[in-house]
Amino acid sequence: MRERIAHALGRDADENALRDALKQQPDNVDAAIPLARALLARKCPNDAIEVLDGILLAAPGDLRALNAKAVVLDHEGRHQEAQELYRQALAAEPANPMLRNNLKLSLAFEGKTETHGANPAPQQDGRPFAALSRTSQCGSGSKS
């Protein structure tokens, strides 16, 4: 029980530190993506999308932020929206293997295939944000 409490408090402290970093530097993709990942792990996809929308306002067109938001959308079954973001990012960097792979996975999740531009083999276990745990509730972090 103590370990669970300590782990939860550590997670909250980490999330708060990431939120503080984003307040100080709204275009800090290196803080936004881990925060979105943590929120998604806590089954808070809307909060994760909110964080990523904020970073995309501060750093429009950032490929990592576009990819991260698309991954969250895929996670939520919003594959067409995710695919639009992957394609937007691929328009800026057509050879990016991460984006190409994630677009291919999104199409597969939706049950479609695409023959133009999304043909690399899936990486690792084929799931974006694969190592997520799903244990807590939303709303424990402070909103900005």
Side-chain angles (χ1 to χ4, degrees):
M1 181 71 152
R2 287 182 190 169
E3 285 182 33
R4 277 185 160 171
I5 292 170
H7 180 72
L9 292 174
R11 181 195 65 229
D12 289 343
D14 290 344
E15 285 182 27
N16 288 336
L18 292 168
R19 286 182 191 278
D20 289 344
L22 281 173
K23 283 180 187 174
Q24 292 173 12
Q25 195 177 12
D27 63 345
N28 186 344
V29 178
D30 291 326
I33 290 175
L35 177 57
R37 189 177 290 133
L39 291 167
L40 188 59
R42 288 195 303 115
K43 296 184 179 180
C44 302
N46 292 333
D47 293 346
I49 288 172
E50 184 179 312
V51 166
L52 295 166
D53 281 343
I55 200 75
L56 286 167
L57 284 174
D62 182 273
L63 297 181
R64 290 172 50 212
L66 286 169
N67 181 68
K69 182 177 178 184
V71 168
V72 174
L73 291 169
D74 266 333
H75 184 271
E76 291 304 294
R78 296 165 59 183
H79 304 298
Q80 290 181 355
E81 293 172 75
Q83 292 160 20
E84 288 176 27
L85 292 178
Y86 293 131
R87 287 185 180 105
Q88 180 183 343
L90 281 165
E93 195 174 314
N96 185 302
M98 174 184 61
L99 295 169
R100 291 167 49 99
N101 182 61
N102 284 350
L103 175 57
K104 183 178 179 181
L105 289 170
S106 180
L107 290 164
F109 292 149
E110 192 180 25
K112 295 181 180 179
T113 58
E114 181 172 272
T115 57
H116 51 54
N119 58 3
Q123 297 171 353
Q124 297 177 3
D125 69 355
R127 293 181 299 154
F129 287 172
L132 296 179
S133 64
R134 303 182 197 291
T135 57
S136 295
Q137 298 293 319
C138 298
S140 66
S142 62
K143 296 266 182 183
S144 46

